[in-house]
């Protein structure tokens, strides 16, 4: 059997200390976007980006399984500062997406800031020096290094590591080939083999139609909970359309804005519980869609009992239609264990397989990184006390000065582009780090009171959405009663509005007194000037009326 986990590298002696103004963890989408913003918007270059893999790209580097594609429109799944007129399809495939982000790395010369195959293992806040002491390890040699930085921006992302169902035992005894969908074995041809795909979420829905094209491959899809499928209206952009996007001003940007507006409007139709009438209509149409494509014998099992939107909606790339093929079947019996020849079900029968693919999602909290803040506790301990991942605007945490996280707790929307969410966060972070980089402050951390107030309101708003109506990975521990920790209860426009400026009164600054006082005086001056201008306008408007 092939191993399902990477073997740990033994540690070796550490090397001399290094120093940097900012450390970015991860060279995926978030890390690349942050680096570009630091250079282009702040003109700041004293940063280093640590990436544990041997190349950039994050999830789009790791996920290369057959059919891998984005389920958000390409023109919106890109940076607003780096509009790409050359997307070939509405929903881009993995190679094209990866190439987009690699091209940005080259365009902005980011390779000089990136240290590859370097794992950040821990970071400890030094209150006296007002900086983090960061330990990294070379993923190849095991050599450790210590870096000091005033600011850490975590761009690890939500898809940290492959997740395997803990209730399925015996993985080590399988005599065939076994891997996770995010670690696809392209060296193993599937022709003539019996393939078991565990899971029926977004990854499985993309994999199965692709590998089922070979009629000699027999596929059994092992399902636990049905998903709501929605049509994926895929199409290609013609050369003429791409020419228009490139050469006619604002067309591509307007097209992108229309896509965003449509998605934001869709939020109100599906996710708030008060939209009951609309949700009933949506549910009816989705049921009709499933029944129109899937074999009749699967209808009852394929239609979820929970409301649409409670779990991640799956754009159907041909999965339902593929179930009509003679080489594809579904198995809804629970899996008890892996045997040397396949999978033993709870009912007792064994399904013999040559290949087992786990399309079972990801671990959303990194076990590799431990961050200790100003109060002597780690982020993991802080989250345990909060009964699940918690952050202020999904970006800062009480007790962790100058530490920022992208795609943190409650920043995803379930219906839109995470790129826009991260851009909103990055712009917020730039405002926060500028006084530190300018020497006007040593650090900022959100106060416990502000964080608690924000998250009380957040959870109260989440209680009025369908995300509390079922068990899903949106909830802490995947439990039915777990706190909703992944999604934001609103549109991306609302999230952008909250992050457009910093409420400095919600933060505790160190060595920031004179800067805060100067800022207050500036605010008072601006308000006074606006009041005077308003009064003058009213006077000028009123004089002619009096003369009449």
């Amino acid at each position: 059997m092939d191993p399902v986990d990477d073997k740990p590298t033994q540690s070796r002696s550490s090397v001399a200390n290094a120093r940097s103004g900012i450390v970015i963890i991860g060279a995926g989408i978030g890390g690349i976007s942050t680096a570009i913003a630091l250079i282009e918007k702040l003109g700041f270059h004293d940063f280093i980006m640590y990436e544990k893999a041997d190349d950039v790209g994050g999830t789009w580097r790791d996920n290369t399984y057959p059919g891998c594609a984005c389920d958000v429109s390409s023109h919106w799944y890109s940076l607003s500062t780096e509009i790409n007129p050359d997307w070939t399809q509405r929903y881009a495939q993995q190679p094209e997406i990866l190439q987009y982000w690699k091209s940005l790395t080259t365009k902005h010369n980011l390779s000089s800031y990136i240290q590859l195959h370097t794992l950040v293992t821990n970071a400890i806040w030094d209150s006296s020096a007002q900086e983090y002491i960061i330990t990294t390890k070379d993923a190849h040699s095991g050599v450790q290094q210590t870096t000091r930085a005033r600011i850490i921006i975590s761009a690890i992302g939500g898809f940290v590591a492959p997740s395997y169902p803990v209730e399925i035992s015996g993985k080590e005894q399988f005599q065939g080939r076994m891997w996770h969908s995010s670690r696809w074995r392209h060296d193993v041809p599937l022709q003539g083999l019996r393939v078991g795909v565990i899971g029926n979420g977004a990854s499985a829905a993309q994999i199965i139609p692709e590998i089922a094209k070979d009629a000699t491959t027999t596929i059994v899809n092992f399902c636990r909970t049905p998903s709501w499928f929605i049509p994926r209206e895929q199409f290609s952009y013609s050369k003429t359309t791409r020419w228009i996007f490139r050469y006619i001003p604002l067309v591509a940007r307007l097209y992108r804005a229309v896509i965003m507006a449509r998605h934001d409007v869709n939020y109100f139709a599906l996710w708030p519980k008060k939209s009951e009438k609309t949700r009933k209509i949506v549910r009816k149409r989705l049921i009709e869609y499933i029944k129109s494509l899937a074999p009749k014998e699967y209808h009852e099992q394929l239609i979820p009992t929970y409301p649409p939107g409670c779990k991640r909606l799956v754009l159907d790339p041909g999965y339902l239609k593929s179930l009509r093929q003679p080489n594809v079947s579904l198995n809804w019996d629970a899996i008890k264990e892996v045997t040397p020849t396949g999978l033993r079900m709870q009912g007792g029968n064994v399904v013999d397989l040559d290949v087992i693919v786990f399309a079972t999602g990801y671990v959303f909290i990194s076990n590799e990184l431990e961050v200790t803040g100003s109060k002597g506790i780690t982020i993991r301990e802080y989250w345990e006390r909060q009964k699940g991942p918690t952050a202020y605007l999904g970006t800062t945490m009480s007790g962790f000065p100058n530490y920022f996280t992208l795609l943190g707790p409650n920043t995803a929307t379930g219906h839109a582009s995470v790129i826009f969410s991260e851009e909103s966060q990055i712009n917020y972070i730039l405002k926060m780090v500028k006084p530190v980089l300018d020497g006007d402050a040593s650090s900022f951390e959100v106060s416990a009171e502000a964080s608690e107030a924000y998250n009380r309101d957040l959870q109260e708003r989440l209680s009025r959405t369908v995300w509390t109506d079922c068990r899903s990975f949106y909830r802490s521990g995947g439990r039915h009663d777990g706190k909703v920790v992944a999604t934001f209860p609103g549109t991306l426009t609302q999230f952008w509005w909250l992050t457009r400026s910093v409420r400095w009164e919600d933060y505790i600054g160190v060595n920031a007194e004179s800067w805060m006082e100067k800022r207050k005086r500036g605010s008072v001056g601006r308000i006074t000037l606006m009041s005077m201008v308003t009064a003058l306008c009213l006077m000028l408007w009123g004089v002619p009326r009096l003369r009449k």
Side-chain angles (χ1 to χ4, degrees):
M1 155 188 162
D2 296 318
V4 294
D5 293 306
D6 295 332
K7 294 181 179 179
T9 305
Q10 292 185 344
S11 300
R12 299 183 182 179
S13 58
S14 60
V15 299
N17 290 357
R19 187 176 294 275
S20 181
I22 296 177
V23 161
I24 301 172
I25 306 176
I29 290 173
I32 293 171
S33 302
T34 302
I36 293 172
L38 286 172
I39 295 170
E40 298 297 321
K41 295 184 177 181
L42 293 187
F44 185 77
H45 298 268
D46 182 22
F47 66 88
I48 188 168
M49 194 185 315
Y50 292 121
E51 169 56 53
K52 67 179 181 179
D54 292 336
D55 203 355
V56 302
T59 187
W60 296 108
R61 172 202 61 228
D62 296 337
N63 286 275
T64 62
Y65 59 78
C68 184
C70 187
D71 56 7
V72 174
S73 296
S74 308
H75 279 268
W76 195 20
Y77 196 79
S78 53
L79 287 178
S80 62
T81 56
E82 298 287 346
I83 298 294
N84 177 23
D86 296 321
W87 292 114
T88 60
Q89 293 180 303
R90 181 183 186 184
Y91 299 104
Q93 302 292 309
Q94 176 268 338
E96 189 174 12
I97 298 171
L98 179 60
Q99 180 55 40
Y100 169 79
W101 291 99
K102 281 191 170 185
S103 69
L104 295 184
T105 303
T106 301
K107 175 182 176 180
H108 295 276
N109 192 30
L110 298 185
S111 59
S112 59
Y113 303 91
I114 300 171
Q115 189 167 317
L116 296 173
H117 52 80
T118 302
L119 179 66
V120 179
T121 57
N122 68 73
I124 301 173
W125 176 252
D126 183 343
S127 296
S128 59
Q130 289 288 290
E131 60 187 11
Y132 281 97
I133 304 170
I134 303 160
T135 302
T136 62
K137 183 174 71 172
D138 188 293
H140 294 167
S141 68
V143 173
Q144 293 186 343
Q145 179 176 339
T146 300
T147 303
R148 285 180 172 266
R150 288 178 287 171
I151 296 161
I152 293 178
I153 301 174
S154 174
I156 295 174
F159 302 136
V160 177
S163 175
Y164 300 89
V166 294
E167 67 272 15
I168 300 178
S169 61
K171 301 180 188 69
E172 69 286 345
Q173 63 179 323
F174 185 55
Q175 296 175 355
R177 300 297 183 93
M178 176 186 293
W179 62 79
H180 192 274
S181 59
S182 65
R183 303 293 186 268
W184 195 267
R185 292 286 304 273
H186 293 279
D187 60 323
V188 180
L190 301 181
Q191 291 86 351
L193 299 184
R194 299 164 297 178
V195 180
V197 179
I198 301 176
N200 66 326
S203 297
Q206 292 181 344
I207 292 169
I208 290 172
E210 285 298 312
I211 64 176
K213 290 178 180 178
D214 186 339
T216 69
T217 303
T218 302
I219 303 156
V220 182
N221 185 198
F222 297 91
C223 310
R224 182 174 63 181
T225 306
S227 297
W228 284 108
F229 290 90
I230 58 178
R232 186 179 75 161
E233 299 172 353
Q234 177 70 299
F235 55 80
S236 297
Y237 295 108
S238 67
K239 290 183 179 180
T240 302
T241 301
R242 297 200 297 271
W243 185 93
I244 291 172
F245 284 148
R246 176 173 290 279
Y247 293 109
I248 300 182
L250 300 179
V251 171
R253 193 167 293 279
L254 179 61
Y255 180 68
R256 172 189 170 96
V258 170
I259 294 171
M260 176 178 172
R262 287 180 59 190
H263 280 78
D264 266 8
V265 169
N266 287 343
Y267 170 82
F268 295 106
L270 194 57
W271 279 271
K273 289 183 178 179
K274 65 180 180 181
S275 306
E276 186 175 356
K277 290 183 179 179
T278 307
R279 289 193 294 112
K280 284 183 178 179
I281 295 172
V282 171
R283 179 186 176 90
K284 180 182 178 182
R285 290 182 177 176
L286 294 184
I287 290 174
E288 291 173 351
Y289 176 74
I290 292 172
K291 288 184 174 181
S292 69
L293 293 176
K296 187 174 182 180
E297 62 265 29
Y298 294 142
H299 286 180
E300 184 177 350
Q301 295 166 314
L302 281 172
I303 297 173
T305 56
Y306 58 85
C310 184
K311 294 177 182 282
R312 182 181 178 181
L313 294 171
V314 178
L315 265 70
D316 180 19
Y319 172 81
L320 294 175
K321 189 176 180 180
S322 72
L323 299 180
R324 293 183 176 273
Q325 296 180 212
N327 60 329
V328 179
S329 62
L330 298 181
N331 190 318
W332 292 89
D333 195 3
I335 301 171
K336 181 179 181 180
E337 62 181 349
V338 180
T339 71
T341 62
L343 294 172
R344 188 186 308 277
M345 315 310 292
Q346 290 290 352
N349 64 306
V350 174
V351 180
D352 290 330
L353 300 165
D354 302 302
V355 173
I356 297 176
V357 177
F358 283 87
T360 47
Y362 305 84
V363 176
F364 288 90
I365 302 175
S366 174
N367 292 315
E368 300 167 336
L369 172 61
E370 186 171 87
V371 179
T372 304
S374 59
K375 299 176 183 178
I377 65 170
T378 66
I379 290 178
R380 188 176 302 278
E381 291 169 333
Y382 172 69
W383 284 355
E384 287 175 355
R385 295 180 184 183
Q386 299 294 319
K387 298 182 179 179
T390 303
Y392 177 85
L393 293 173
T395 308
T396 60
M397 288 172 281
S398 177
F400 297 89
N402 290 0
Y403 185 90
F404 306 93
T405 178
L406 294 178
L407 205 59
N410 301 108
T411 54
T413 62
H415 71 284
S417 171
V418 297
I419 309 298
F420 189 86
S421 299
E422 289 187 322
E423 281 194 276
S424 299
Q425 288 184 280
I426 290 168
N427 289 330
Y428 183 86
I429 292 169
L430 294 186
K431 294 180 179 71
M432 291 225 57
V433 303
K434 192 175 188 308
V436 177
L437 299 177
D438 290 344
D440 294 323
S442 295
S443 66
F444 290 99
E445 70 171 272
V446 66
S447 70
E449 295 77 14
S451 182
E452 289 169 5
Y454 170 78
N455 280 284
R456 275 198 306 270
D457 177 69
L458 182 86
Q459 292 298 322
E460 195 279 327
R461 290 164 58 199
L462 282 165
S463 70
R464 302 197 299 268
T465 68
V466 296
W467 287 309
T468 59
D469 287 350
C470 68
R471 172 184 173 181
S472 73
F473 68 80
Y474 292 147
R475 311 189 75 161
S476 180
R479 303 188 311 271
H480 190 279
D481 60 346
K483 181 172 74 172
V484 178
V485 296
T487 49
F488 174 76
T491 66
L492 271 188
T493 302
Q494 290 172 315
F495 185 73
W496 165 81
W497 180 258
L498 290 176
T499 55
R500 77 194 188 284
S501 61
V502 179
R503 287 174 52 93
W504 292 104
E505 60 269 28
D506 288 347
Y507 284 88
I508 303 167
V510 174
N511 299 324
E513 292 80 8
S514 58
W515 180 82
M516 295 287 277
E517 185 61 32
K518 182 180 178 181
R519 181 188 160 275
K520 287 180 181 178
R521 289 198 301 268
S523 298
V524 171
R526 286 192 296 273
I527 293 172
T528 302
L529 179 61
M530 288 177 63
S531 300
M532 292 174 63
V533 171
T534 302
L536 180 60
C537 290
L538 289 172
M539 289 174 61
L540 293 174
W541 178 76
V543 169
R545 291 173 61 88
L546 290 172
R547 287 176 179 173
K548 289 181 181 181

